[in-house]
Amino acid sequence: MTTAPPPPGSPTTRPPVSVLLSSVSSDSHTWNLVYLELLLTELGCHVHNLGPCVPDRLLLDACGTLEPDLVVLSSVNGHGALDGERVVGRLRAHRVSSGPRVVIGGMLGTQGGAGERERARRLTAAGFDAVFEGPDAVVRFREYLGLIRLIGSPRPAGAAGPAEAVDPAEAAEAAKAAGATRAAELAGTAAMAR
């Protein structure tokens, strides 16, 4: 019994998404980075973890050297929004014409859930493509990553400035639709092989 190869451009034929994972300069926590590295690896990404307390310059240099598809910043010390705004501004200024998608998540402020919406607005205005905070942050991040994997190139070459923020609800719908399409493709491939 033989099966046909996946269609060109399907998620299984694309190279893995390369992810640069980092904390912000003020955050010394590591458990969040270990968790995210394991999650991203499990989801098929190639991960380079810079670790905690990463100076802005090191993050900028690593982006230039590694040229990742996606930069994931994680902070759980409550100061991630402040550090994130600064570093994404530097990253976007340094790599204006094209660059990776950049997302941030964790516990980004000291006010808890009360300030999440305003922080997300400020952070996307500063240049983040998505912000993941709150009890459903990991679920929304997984959906976002699923969308990134489905669309192939995470950020079109030549895109000026920050990409439009991806609405998590739209990402979830696209991921569900793509999952149904992929399931139908696999079922069709299996039927053809019989």
Side-chain angles (χ1 to χ4, degrees), residues 5 19 27 43 70 82 86 100 108 113 117-118 146 155 160 163 174-175 178-179:
V19 178
D27 196 336
L43 294 173
L70 177 65
L82 295 173
R86 181 192 67 247
L108 304 177
R117 184 167 284 172
E118 177 58 23
R155 197 145 194 258

Side-chain angles (χ1 to χ4, degrees), residues 71-94:
V71 175
V72 176
L73 297 181
S74 175
S75 178
V76 293
N77 71 353
H79 302 290
L82 295 173
D83 288 344
E85 265 186 274
R86 181 192 67 247
V87 74
V88 78
R90 292 188 70 196
L91 181 63
R92 294 300 187 204
H94 182 68

Side-chain angles (χ1 to χ4, degrees), residues 4-16 149-152 178 181-182 185-186:
S10 73
T12 57
T13 61
R14 291 192 187 108
R149 293 180 71 208
L150 290 170
I151 61 174
T181 302
R182 184 67 183 135
E185 289 172 358
L186 293 173

Side-chain angles (χ1 to χ4, degrees), residues 79-85 88 104 108-109 111 115-128 131:
H79 302 290
L82 295 173
D83 288 344
E85 265 186 274
V88 78
I104 189 167
L108 304 177
Q111 304 88 6
E116 284 180 22
R117 184 167 284 172
E118 177 58 23
R119 278 191 297 277
R121 187 197 63 71
R122 273 193 359 257
L123 290 166
T124 53
F128 282 100
V131 177

Side-chain angles (χ1 to χ4, degrees), residues 96-99 153-160:
V96 173
S97 63
S98 68
S153 175
R155 197 145 194 258

Side-chain angles (χ1 to χ4, degrees), residues 30-97:
T30 58
W31 63 267
N32 53 317
L33 298 172
V34 171
Y35 172 80
L36 284 170
E37 182 174 358
L38 291 171
L39 175 68
L40 289 162
T41 301
E42 178 182 298
L43 294 173
C45 297
H46 174 75
V47 181
H48 187 96
N49 188 345
L50 293 180
C53 296
V54 176
D56 295 359
R57 183 78 246 161
L58 177 60
L59 182 62
L60 292 172
D61 290 346
C63 282
T65 302
L66 299 171
E67 297 183 350
D69 298 317
L70 177 65
V71 175
V72 176
L73 297 181
S74 175
S75 178
V76 293
N77 71 353
H79 302 290
L82 295 173
D83 288 344
E85 265 186 274
R86 181 192 67 247
V87 74
V88 78
R90 292 188 70 196
L91 181 63
R92 294 300 187 204
H94 182 68
R95 299 176 58 84
V96 173
S97 63

